[in-house]
């Protein structure tokens, strides 16, 4: 379920690895789609392809009947992948395809998105997609995700605290204006930044200068020149203060839980040592654009990006 792309695809029955040097001969132990598995499957033979930040697939555009949460669409147009890169074919990869939930403008298939089709067919009233994304550390009772189509789940938020902001993306992403970034109570004065919200990305990605300036305000932060990443102590020293990071959007401050600032221990054998941070340097788009990943979706709750909306937690 990827808010950073706009195409639905599933592996084709004749799917093959796109890498000629891979040792794997097929696309792994996954569920595939084609004429052998669906009597309503129709292949238009029209080619399509997409390159993600990590991984790529190519194939043809097809039509079939699909159903999600009891919402059924006949002759829905989407894609099958006949070639998949190494990132998708391993047996341990837990998914068989990908559902893009951004706007149609960035669709490589150039067909209506699933949400557009559901609204047009009258299956859902409002063109809204909302997410509940849990934190594994919170335990198994909270460790489940939820996708809601056409509305916001009232059990997941207090309507009185809902913050609505306009979508400022000219391309078709879910993007909001960042009014400021606050580190340990200090405003960094960044009033011209924007944030793209992407459930398909693991780390927060920001321009290198912003990443360096932000970490410079975090006690214990250290930059590793050899690997080009920042680390923080995995465990806050006794008597120390946990790092505090806030984003100001729509007039409200959203605080990141200190646990979400830590990504992975540098040394698995010493989890109490240093951890890489969940903020990486890169250029996700323009010079002042940030990419906000699932790592931070816990804090943006409730935040509604209008036209149409999405809410992340």
């Amino acid at each position: 379920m990827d808010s950073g792309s706009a195409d639905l695809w599933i592996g084709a029955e004749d799917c093959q690895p796109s890498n000629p040097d891979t040792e794997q001969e097929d696309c792994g132990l996954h569920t595939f789609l084609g004429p052998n598995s669906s009597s309503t499957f129709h292949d238009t033979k029209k080619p399509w392809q997409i390159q993600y930040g990590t991984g790529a697939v190519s194939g043809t555009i097809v039509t079939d009947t699909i159903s999600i949460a009891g919402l059924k669409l006949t002759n829905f147009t989407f894609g099958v992948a006949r070639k998949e890169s190494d990132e998708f074919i391993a047996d341990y990869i837990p998914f068989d395809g990908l559902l893009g939930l951004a706007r149609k403008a960035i669709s490589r298939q150039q067909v209506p998105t699933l949400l557009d089709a559901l609204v047009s067919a009258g299956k859902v009233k409002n063109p809204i997609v909302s997410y509940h994304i849990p934190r594994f550390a919170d335990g198994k009772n909270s460790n489940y995700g939820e996708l809601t189509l056409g509305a916001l789940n009232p059990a997941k938020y207090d309507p009185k605290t809902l913050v609505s902001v306009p979508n400022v993306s000219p391309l078709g992403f879910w993007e909001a204006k960042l009014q400021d970034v606050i580190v340990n109570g200090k405003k960094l004065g960044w009033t011209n930044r924007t944030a793209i919200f992407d459930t398909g990305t693991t780390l927060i990605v920001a321009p290198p200068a912003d990443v360096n300036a932000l970490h410079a305000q975090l006690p214990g932060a250290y930059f590793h020149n050899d690997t080009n990443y920042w680390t923080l102590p995995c465990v806050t020293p006794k008597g120390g203060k946990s790092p505090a990071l806030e984003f100001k959007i729509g007039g409200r401050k959203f605080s990141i839980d200190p646990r979400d600032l830590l990504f992975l221990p540098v040394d698995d054998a010493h989890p109490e040592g240093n951890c890489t941070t969940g903020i990486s340097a890169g250029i996700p788009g323009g010079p002042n654009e940030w990419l906000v990943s699932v790592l931070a979706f816990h804090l943006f709750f409730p935040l509604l990006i209008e036209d149409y909306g999405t809410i992340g937690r």
Side-chain angles (χ1 to χ4, degrees):
M1 305 298 172
D2 181 20
S3 66
S5 67
D7 295 294
L8 169 63
W9 63 265
I10 301 170
E13 290 175 342
D14 58 355
C15 181
Q16 295 292 316
S18 58
N19 180 5
D21 297 323
T22 187
E23 295 182 359
Q24 192 165 318
E25 297 181 356
D26 55 28
C27 291
L29 297 177
H30 296 113
T31 299
F32 301 99
L33 181 66
N36 295 322
S37 54
S38 174
S39 61
T40 51
F41 177 89
H42 172 68
D43 190 346
T44 71
K45 307 295 184 182
K46 182 179 179 180
W48 80 282
Q49 61 182 356
I50 187 169
Q51 174 70 56
Y52 297 102
T54 302
V57 301
S58 63
T60 54
I61 292 177
V62 303
T63 63
D64 206 342
T65 298
I66 70 167
S67 179
I68 179 170
L71 303 174
K72 186 177 179 180
L73 293 170
T74 57
N75 295 316
F76 179 68
T77 305
F78 58 104
V80 291
R82 302 189 184 282
K83 296 285 186 181
E84 295 181 9
S85 63
D86 293 346
E87 291 81 4
F88 298 108
I89 64 175
D91 291 345
Y92 63 81
I93 298 297
F95 52 85
D96 306 310
L98 192 146
L99 172 57
L101 292 165
R103 301 304 306 271
K104 177 187 172 181
I106 61 172
S107 168
R108 297 300 187 268
Q109 298 168 3
Q110 283 299 290
V111 299
T113 66
L114 175 68
L115 190 57
D116 287 337
L118 288 172
V119 173
S120 296
K123 302 294 183 178
V124 297
K125 182 178 180 181
N126 299 307
I128 295 174
V129 55
S130 58
Y131 310 87
H132 169 74
I133 301 177
R135 182 187 295 108
F136 182 77
D138 288 340
K140 64 180 182 179
N141 291 331
S142 300
N143 193 30
Y144 66 92
E146 179 182 285
L147 177 76
T148 304
L149 297 169
L152 312 179
N153 184 345
K156 300 296 183 184
Y157 77 104
D158 180 354
K160 295 178 181 179
T161 65
L162 181 66
V163 176
S164 297
V165 294
N167 187 353
V168 299
S169 174
L171 301 177
F173 295 107
W174 300 121
E175 188 170 5
K177 180 178 173 57
L178 273 177
Q179 295 174 313
D180 208 344
V181 178
I182 302 99
V183 183
N184 288 338
K186 180 181 179 180
K187 296 180 180 179
L188 299 185
W190 296 341
T191 59
N192 64 339
R193 309 308 199 262
T194 62
I196 297 171
F197 293 82
D198 185 3
T199 60
T201 301
T202 305
L203 300 178
I204 296 174
V205 182
D210 287 359
V211 172
N212 293 339
L214 185 155
H215 283 92
Q217 302 297 323
L218 295 174
Y222 180 77
F223 182 69
H224 297 254
N225 289 294
D226 53 339
T227 52
N228 216 31
Y229 61 72
W230 284 88
T231 60
L232 282 168
C234 297
V235 179
T236 302
K238 189 174 182 180
K241 201 172 183 180
S242 297
L245 176 62
E246 298 172 295
F247 291 123
K248 186 178 180 181
I249 299 178
R252 176 178 170 180
K253 294 178 182 178
F254 296 87
S255 301
I256 290 186
D257 189 296
R259 293 174 295 174
D260 297 328
L261 280 176
L262 306 174
F263 184 48
L264 292 172
V266 174
D267 185 351
D268 290 337
H270 299 284
E272 74 288 347
N274 287 323
C275 284
T276 56
T277 71
I279 305 173
S280 176
I283 305 295
N288 293 314
E289 280 184 315
W290 286 43
L291 192 67
V292 176
S293 68
V294 292
L295 192 74
F297 263 61
H298 309 288
L299 76 97
F300 293 106
F301 186 73
L303 173 67
L304 177 69
I305 301 177
E306 299 173 339
D307 175 37
Y308 30 73
T310 181
I311 185 170
R313 184 185 181 185

